[in-house]
Amino acid sequence: MRFVDEYRDATKAQMLATRIAALCEPGRAYKFMEVCGGHTHTIYKHGLEDYLPETVTLVHGPGCPVCVIPMGRVDDAIHIAEQPDVIMTSFGDMMRVPGGKGSFLDAKARGADIRMVYSPLDALKIARQNPDRRVVFMAIGFETTAPSTAMTVLRAEAEGIGNFSIFCNHVTIIPAIKAILDSPDLRLDGFVGPGHVSTVIGCRPYEFIARDYGKPLVVAGFEPLDVLHTVYRILLQLREGRSEVENQYARVVPWEGNLKALRAIGQVMELRPYFEWRGLGFISQSALRVAERYAAFDAERIFQIPGGRVADPKACQCGEVLKGVLKPWECKVFGTACTPETPIGTCMVSSEGACAAYYNFGRFSRERVKEATRR
């Protein structure tokens, strides 16, 4: 299959592993963060960590939008769903995310009408079919999914569908990366840049990372050779004393981003003054809300929501995992009390969560397989 098979060639992976090892300076340890949860799953599904020298460590960042949503926002969404004549719609990976009062599935079991959809346009269709009900779409995701939400609001306005609204929880990636760079908990040498987000925002917004912090960032694709090639390019920059933004995923990501998508976001949404992230706390201008012009489609304005903060369970260490401070297997409840069937934290729920990746692909310890790097 074109654009798949050629990026999964084991011989080329071994060649890249050899080149990566040759770029590593003796006695130096390297730590790179893969910002996107999709990269985490690629790394552990295909065993890519075993192709890297022991001195190269990959840690995961806050690039899973379901994982970073705080428990209080889940409770707010459940509060809306339990109002009379409301149909709450949501992507599937939100259904089991725990809040202080349970998950969407728990609320559904108590009688709330909560339905899984594949697109905000599916939610709009439900609103069209149920004019006597108030249909709310649980809008989550980074800039990757924000354009589809914005376009759905514009469609609802154009069609005069007044019983549709969104509960906006879209977050933005740049402030989160900056918060990690400013954190004293973690010292990084470079970034495996997010691929999906970059299809919308492009590569230019990352330039401050290289310019102000001296860290190389390479936007990466999601196939095994994409990730290995990205690690190679980061190490090459470090060896040559460079700190730049590069685009390894040029077959998909335009340098300037998707201008039409950005215009749609800018028309329908605006930055919030601040927003709470699980594990990172409150970050200024790090999330989107519905602009005043489209207030009629804003569930936060239509419904009175509690807006309270809810502390994570004491046993859960999702916050440290999201910041890259801990590996999932270092969490005390990983793989025991916390599993995909009985999740305590969001990182075990989402299809992009780091804990789910480690659990599903058998990473329960520090051990690596040596064979890949010996060849």
Side-chain angles (χ1 to χ4, degrees):
M1 184 181 295
R2 193 179 178 207
F3 297 128
V4 176
D5 291 345
E6 64 265 44
Y7 291 94
R8 297 185 179 184
D9 187 309
T11 301
K12 291 180 180 177
Q14 292 162 13
M15 290 172 58
L16 275 170
T18 300
R19 294 184 180 183
I20 286 170
L23 285 174
C24 293
E25 299 177 14
R28 179 176 178 179
Y30 302 88
K31 184 176 287 187
F32 305 141
M33 173 176 281
E34 79 269 4
V35 178
C36 181
H39 288 136
T40 304
H41 278 255
T42 296
I43 290 164
Y44 293 103
K45 177 180 179 180
H46 296 281
L48 300 187
E49 198 176 43
D50 299 328
Y51 281 84
L52 303 177
E54 290 282 353
T55 54
V56 176
T57 302
L58 298 176
V59 297
H60 14 270
C64 166
V66 171
C67 301
V68 301
I69 190 168
M71 296 180 73
R73 294 294 287 185
V74 178
D75 284 355
D76 290 342
I78 290 174
H79 173 80
I80 295 172
E82 291 177 338
Q83 300 305 301
D85 300 322
V86 167
I87 300 174
M88 174 64 76
T89 59
S90 170
F91 293 139
D93 54 359
M94 270 300 302
M95 296 297 286
R96 294 190 301 122
V97 173
K101 299 179 180 178
S103 66
F104 274 178
L105 286 180
D106 296 324
K108 185 177 177 69
R110 294 194 296 264
D113 191 346
I114 303 178
R115 307 182 189 182
M116 187 183 77
V117 295
Y118 292 100
S119 161
L121 288 173
D122 291 341
L124 187 62
K125 181 179 180 180
I126 293 172
R128 197 182 292 117
Q129 295 170 341
N130 296 269
D132 57 335
R133 305 282 298 276
R134 296 181 291 178
V135 178
V136 181
F137 175 64
M138 178 73 172
I140 63 166
F142 287 95
E143 293 94 334
T144 316
T145 54
S148 61
T149 302
M151 293 302 296
T152 303
V153 170
L154 293 174
R155 175 74 67 85
E157 181 190 44
E159 295 185 15
I161 303 177
N163 64 323
F164 173 79
S165 63
I166 66 170
F167 182 47
C168 191
N169 294 276
H170 286 296
V171 289
T172 56
I173 193 65
I174 297 301
I177 295 177
K178 188 176 187 305
I180 287 171
L181 285 165
D182 291 337
S183 171
D185 297 335
L186 192 62
R187 289 289 176 264
L188 299 169
D189 297 291
F191 289 88
V192 176
H196 292 146
V197 169
S198 302
T199 62
V200 176
I201 68 172
C203 301
R204 194 173 299 280
Y206 305 118
E207 290 179 344
F208 81 98
I209 298 171
R211 181 186 64 246
D212 300 339
Y213 293 89
K215 311 292 184 185
L217 181 146
V218 179
V219 174
F222 292 91
E223 294 299 326
L225 292 187
D226 286 324
V227 176
L228 289 175
H229 187 211
T230 296
V231 172
Y232 169 79
R233 290 173 70 160
I234 295 172
L235 285 166
L236 184 62
Q237 285 197 44
L238 293 173
R239 170 61 71 90
E240 296 177 349
R242 295 185 291 117
S243 177
E244 300 173 3
V245 175
E246 296 180 357
N247 184 10
Q248 187 276 338
Y249 204 25
R251 66 183 186 276
V252 174
V253 174
W255 187 266
E256 299 294 341
N258 186 325
L259 299 182
K260 288 185 178 180
L262 291 171
R263 280 196 294 270
I265 296 173
Q267 181 177 346
V268 176
M269 301 175 187
E270 62 188 15
L271 285 172
R272 295 177 184 267
Y274 55 87
F275 192 76
E276 184 184 3
W277 291 56
R278 184 186 292 252
L280 297 175
F282 285 92
I283 304 176
S284 63
Q285 296 188 320
S286 64
L288 301 169
R289 65 185 180 188
V290 179
E292 179 68 31
R293 177 184 170 186
Y294 297 94
F297 301 98
D298 185 5
E300 288 188 70
R301 291 181 170 99
I302 297 170
F303 301 92
Q304 295 294 322
I305 61 173
R309 295 189 66 191
V310 179
D312 289 340
K314 290 184 178 180
C316 177
Q317 294 181 280
C318 271
E320 288 79 4
V321 172
L322 287 167
K323 290 189 291 185
V325 175
L326 288 183
K327 291 280 192 177
W329 49 262
E330 295 176 298
C331 175
K332 295 185 290 290
V333 294
F334 172 76
T336 54
C338 186
T339 69
E341 290 74 29
T342 57
I344 294 176
T346 54
C347 296
M348 189 62 87
V349 177
S350 172
S351 60
E352 292 191 355
C355 294
Y358 274 60
Y359 186 92
N360 290 333
F361 302 117
R363 290 290 177 162
F364 295 99
S365 69
R366 182 188 300 273
E367 295 179 4
R368 292 188 184 181
V369 177
K370 303 288 187 183
E371 292 138 5
T373 52
R374 279 180 184 162
R375 293 173 182 160

